[in-house]
Amino acid sequence: MAPLMHFFTTLLFLLIPLEATTNHQHGLKSLHFALYQHETINKTGFIVVPGVAGPPVSQTTTPFGTLFVFQDPLTLKPNPTSKLAGTAEGTSITSGLDGLQSLSIAKVTLNVKKHKGSISLVGVTNNIKPSNHPVVGGTGDFLFVQGYVTSSPVNLVGLMVTYKIEFHLYWPPYASPKP
């Protein structure tokens, strides 16, 4: 009896990872696109609580512990006057002593490619390098969506800074997104 039980246990451990890998690789509806986030200091983004240590405030750094809030337009092109496709609103807290990293929480409201709704993001943002943020929820046409968003700096000069936001969204098989 013991050898037979060992055989089934071994078979079970071999099949579980194979099934999980297969489900995550095939058959998911996906949506991939890029938008541009335009943040203007003291217009769409504000320091609410100044930090306590580290570098001074600049386009790329804030002191450790700085609480920053934003409600930024998302456009189809790097030009801030291009067509509006959504809004990114949220908060970030400078979590790196060098002033370059922040813990970020955002709700991104979208109206793109026949999809309307919002996605929620949480992650660590590096102000001068690309950063990946996991999608932790969604509403409307993005209900049950999974994936990640990559934020990359495009222009960090002047009062308005621009980031390229690349969306990589996937719907699980049990979700019913718009066709």
Side-chain angles (χ1 to χ4, degrees), residues 2-177:
L4 188 58
M5 186 179 223
H6 177 71
F7 171 76
F8 284 118
T9 305
T10 304
L11 184 61
L12 180 65
F13 283 118
L14 289 174
L15 291 178
I16 289 174
L18 181 64
E19 184 179 324
T21 303
T22 303
N23 287 338
H24 290 280
Q25 298 296 324
H26 302 289
L28 296 181
K29 180 185 182 319
S30 64
L31 183 63
H32 305 274
F33 60 96
L35 298 175
Y36 294 86
Q37 178 179 356
H38 306 278
E39 187 166 274
T40 306
I41 305 304
N42 294 328
K43 184 177 177 189
T44 66
F46 298 88
I47 292 176
V48 178
V49 177
V52 295
V57 173
S58 72
Q59 282 83 0
T60 59
T61 61
T62 51
F64 180 76
T66 298
L67 177 63
F68 186 80
V69 295
F70 58 92
Q71 185 176 12
D72 300 332
L74 297 172
T75 61
L76 296 178
K77 297 186 178 182
N79 185 338
T81 61
S82 70
K83 185 178 177 187
L84 187 67
T87 305
E89 58 186 286
T91 187
S92 63
I93 303 168
T94 305
S95 57
L97 288 170
D98 62 0
L100 293 173
Q101 283 195 162
S102 298
L103 176 61
S104 301
I105 303 165
K107 175 187 156 204
V108 180
T109 304
L110 298 167
N111 186 2
V112 292
K113 301 187 184 253
K114 301 179 184 176
H115 290 80
K116 280 185 170 184
S118 68
I119 61 171
S120 298
L121 309 170
V122 176
V124 174
T125 302
N126 185 303
N127 296 341
I128 60 173
K129 294 191 276 188
S131 303
N132 290 325
H133 300 90
V135 173
V136 297
T139 66
D141 294 334
F142 300 102
L143 191 62
F144 298 116
V145 77
Q146 301 170 349
Y148 66 99
V149 170
T150 301
S151 170
S152 304
V154 173
N155 178 15
L156 299 175
V157 178
L159 289 179
M160 181 185 288
V161 295
T162 305
Y163 295 91
K164 182 177 185 180
I165 311 296
E166 297 172 274
F167 295 81
H168 304 279
L169 306 176
Y170 304 89
W171 281 265
Y174 56 82
S176 300

